[in-house]
Amino acid sequence: MATPLLVNIVELLRRPGTIKDIEVLIAVADFDFADERIIDVAVPVTVHLESLANGVAVSGNAQAQWHGTCRRCLKSIDTTLTVEFSEMYQLVLEDPDAFAIEQDQVSLLPMVRENILLALPLAPTCRDDCPGLCSQCGADLSEASCSCTTDVTDPRWAVLDTLRENLTKDS
Ligand SMILES: [Zn+2]
Ligand SMILES: [Zn+2]
């Protein structure tokens, strides 16, 4: 079986300004993510290649399904991550971030893989304004508000309150 996303670019290298567009579905297994957050659903990848004088510019996007846990309410999250990328491939590596062109081919799979893994959120939330759980009773505040008072009495203030009461009594 051919290596996915290994693209022959002989035509592109012949003349700067030549473009090539690719749209493929890549099996998760082909990426070998080694990351349990990625769900086993094929990843659509769209790539636009354009040859320049000093290499090939590669841009596009990929969509991966992933699973996580909201760090605020602990609900499980199943969602789609869309990653946009824009990279350079060069025969002679001038740009330190560029990928190598080897044997008239660009290997896009490791680049797409890297972009997906970097884009996975480290501390995901189920939604931007997730209120999380009540720190006192553990109620899920996105579903119901609880009756806990928000101002927890600090024991140090309780001492002052007692003192104040005594002073009031004395006067
Ligand atoms: Zn949440
Ligand atoms: Zn509560």
Side-chain angles (χ1 to χ4, degrees), residues 116-133:
I116 290 174
L117 288 175
L118 284 174
L120 282 173
L122 290 174
T125 47
C126 59
R127 54 176 218 249
D128 285 347
D129 60 348
C130 171
L133 304 177

Side-chain angles (χ1 to χ4, degrees), residues 133-141 144-149:
L133 304 177
C134 169
S135 60
Q136 293 172 69
C137 72
D140 184 344
L141 299 177
S145 55
C146 61
S147 53
C148 300
T149 48

